[in-house]
Amino acid sequence: ESIHDPHIVDYFGFAILDNRVIVLIMECVIAGSLARLLSSFRHLPTTTTVNFMRDVLRGLSKLHQSGIIHRDVKPQNVLITTHGTCKLSDFGASAILASMARSEALGRYTVQGTPVYLSPEAARGQACTKSDIWSVGIMFLQLTTGALPYDQITPDTDPMAVVLQIGSGRMRPKFDKSAFPEVTVQFVEGCLAPTVEQRLTAAELLELSFFFV
């Protein structure tokens, strides 16, 4: 409740109904999500997506400065206001109810998030703030190309198999660098660096030429 930012959906609290249903009380953002936009247009113009990614990274920067990992950055969790601004949603579950939401046991690890957007370390149950950055890179490629950057995934693929392959490094995102300007490639590679140490922070990404051309 203490986090307020133009790029984060306001979270007001939660209620527990009948000792079994958790209800999050959050700001109403009525223009839909990036997922809904993608379903309507198949893919989005790069210039439009750049503006959306700027908003997402500004929201993540605020969360990360507050010590919060979102853990489930994806088009469904990025809502659009009537003014065209993007706002991150579902971070309340990440901050307060993470152990109760979107969790599945995998050996001795607990994996949180949606498999296709997971970073390698998050797939191993070791998520950090830069795990959210990886998810931004996957989301950007999905929005601009209309497809996830994994050619091994089909509708019949077992989600836990995806988690295992991403965590082991056997499944890596692929994209055609020749189809994008150099500044865009730099942005994507900054998001999808395989190690946490190589990956850029939200603040560092916002300083790239990608956002100023």
Side-chain angles (χ1 to χ4, degrees):
E1 294 179 62
S2 62
I3 298 177
H4 299 284
D5 186 87
H7 305 102
I8 297 173
V9 173
D10 278 332
Y11 170 78
F12 303 118
F14 69 94
I16 300 178
L17 305 180
D18 299 326
N19 292 319
R20 62 187 180 85
V21 178
I22 300 171
V23 178
L24 296 178
I25 305 168
M26 309 182 80
E27 173 188 5
C28 179
V29 183
I30 63 173
S33 66
L34 288 185
R36 181 179 176 183
L37 201 62
L38 186 61
S39 68
S40 298
F41 295 99
R42 198 177 73 80
H43 64 84
L44 307 180
T46 300
T47 51
T48 301
T49 310
V50 168
N51 291 329
F52 290 158
M53 294 303 99
R54 182 186 290 111
D55 289 348
V56 168
L57 287 170
R58 285 173 174 170
L60 284 177
S61 182
K62 180 69 173 182
L63 287 180
H64 294 169
Q65 288 170 17
S66 302
I68 295 174
I69 308 168
H70 187 287
R71 301 178 189 269
D72 201 13
V73 176
K74 59 184 178 181
Q76 291 89 334
N77 287 338
V78 180
L79 305 184
I80 307 169
T81 71
T82 53
H83 300 292
T85 300
C86 283
K87 290 194 168 200
L88 288 169
S89 70
D90 200 27
F91 82 95
S94 302
I96 298 173
L97 306 171
S99 64
M100 305 167 75
R102 304 185 315 280
S103 300
E104 186 162 359
L106 179 63
R108 63 189 179 89
Y109 299 124
T110 297
V111 177
Q112 297 172 336
T114 303
V116 292
Y117 300 96
L118 286 176
S119 66
E121 70 279 357
R124 296 191 295 269
Q126 301 165 345
C128 63
T129 53
K130 287 186 178 180
S131 303
D132 289 338
I133 301 304
W134 174 283
S135 303
V136 170
I138 299 294
M139 182 170 64
F140 171 80
L141 291 174
Q142 181 184 17
L143 292 174
T144 53
T145 67
L148 290 163
Y150 293 110
D151 53 18
Q152 306 100 314
I153 295 177
T154 69
D156 298 323
T157 303
D158 180 2
M160 291 313 296
V162 174
V163 172
L164 288 169
Q165 290 188 59
I166 290 176
S168 68
R170 294 195 303 272
M171 184 180 289
R172 285 276 302 154
K174 299 177 181 178
F175 72 105
D176 182 5
K177 295 182 182 180
S178 65
F180 295 97
E182 183 178 347
V183 292
T184 303
V185 173
Q186 182 186 29
F187 170 77
V188 174
E189 291 182 337
C191 291
L192 299 180
T195 68
V196 172
E197 293 76 20
Q198 294 172 311
R199 210 172 302 150
L200 300 183
T201 65
E204 289 169 338
L205 287 167
L206 286 167
E207 294 298 321
L208 293 180
S209 300
F210 175 72
F211 291 107
F212 298 98
V213 294

